[in-house]
Amino acid sequence: MKNYIFTSKRLGFRNWTLQDVDPLFQINNDDSVMEFFPSKPSKQATLDFIYRMQKMQEEKRFCYFAVDTLENKKFIGFIGLCEQSYLKELGTFVDIGWRLIKSVWNQGYATEGAWACLDYGFNTIGLKKIYSVAPEINVKSELIMKKIGMQQIKTFEHPKLVNYQELSPCVLYMKEAKN
């Protein structure tokens, strides 16, 4: 039995284990999954990501959670919340993001999981605002942002993508907690 921090109807959200390194590395090396990223993470970078998420979960009670389907306990990628600091005008902010294995695309998992993470972030952690960022050309991620009720704040040149002309124009969305 997996130890889930919270669940949605079909998904379990948990902290990372070292058994997730190889499956996440495989997801990270799928050309379709990584279409809107400048490069694919190495195995070491994948391991470093998992360690960073474990530490963030321990310190903040959130991270980009490892996600399993509840039906068969199969790891399908991540959906969750992560602190970011690359936008000077926002300072440190919480981003919602997702990366799922291609075989589960178009089944509503990203949207379902994002809704669950918003609920967790606002109602369990007590966050006031959650943001989301994607390159303008990533219309699939932008559609999920809209489906979960986020509002577009602006478009901007991503400071970490300035050397990637096609990826650097990004959209910034935000959702506020209901008082």
Side-chain angles (χ1 to χ4, degrees):
M1 170 97 180
K2 301 245 180 158
N3 188 14
Y4 295 117
I5 298 163
F6 61 97
T7 61
S8 64
K9 183 177 178 184
R10 301 179 295 164
L11 302 172
F13 299 79
R14 61 178 173 79
N15 204 347
W16 295 86
T17 70
L18 293 181
Q19 287 77 32
D20 298 318
V21 174
D22 287 337
L24 181 60
F25 181 68
Q26 289 177 347
I27 292 169
N28 285 343
N29 277 278
D30 182 308
D31 290 336
S32 297
V33 173
M34 300 304 289
E35 178 181 6
F36 302 111
F37 290 86
S39 63
K40 296 176 191 164
S42 67
K43 192 125 185 206
Q44 183 60 51
T46 301
L47 180 62
D48 293 345
F49 169 84
I50 287 174
Y51 285 146
R52 195 168 75 252
M53 293 301 107
Q54 288 173 328
K55 183 177 183 199
M56 187 177 299
Q57 170 61 28
E58 184 179 307
E59 293 175 356
K60 305 289 182 181
R61 297 177 40 219
F62 63 81
C63 67
Y64 288 143
F65 300 103
V67 175
D68 301 322
T69 55
L70 291 175
E71 180 182 10
N72 59 13
K73 307 295 188 253
K74 181 179 184 237
F75 173 77
I76 61 168
F78 68 76
I79 307 170
L81 307 167
C82 184
E83 279 192 340
Q84 303 287 354
S85 59
Y86 54 80
L87 291 174
K88 289 181 182 168
E89 68 270 22
L90 294 180
T92 299
F93 64 98
V94 176
D95 170 74
I96 187 169
W98 41 84
R99 183 177 305 160
L100 300 176
I101 191 168
K102 188 176 180 183
S103 63
V104 302
W105 287 8
N106 301 312
Q107 297 178 44
Y109 287 124
T111 302
E112 176 183 327
W115 273 116
C117 288
L118 287 174
D119 180 65
Y120 178 80
F122 290 139
N123 298 316
T124 301
I125 303 298
L127 298 173
K128 301 297 180 208
K129 294 179 181 180
I130 297 175
Y131 295 86
S132 193
V133 174
E136 282 184 316
I137 60 172
N138 188 346
V139 295
K140 291 177 183 176
S141 280
E142 189 172 4
L143 181 60
I144 293 167
M145 294 172 198
K146 291 175 182 178
K147 284 181 178 179
I148 61 173
M150 300 188 96
Q151 301 298 313
Q152 185 173 350
I153 302 299
K154 68 175 187 169
T155 58
F156 69 100
E157 295 297 314
H158 198 300
K160 291 186 174 185
L161 299 173
V162 292
N163 295 325
Y164 305 94
Q165 184 176 356
E166 190 175 80
L167 299 176
S168 66
C170 287
V171 293
L172 175 68
Y173 276 70
M174 190 259 306
K175 187 170 180 117
E176 291 186 85
K178 295 177 184 169
N179 292 334

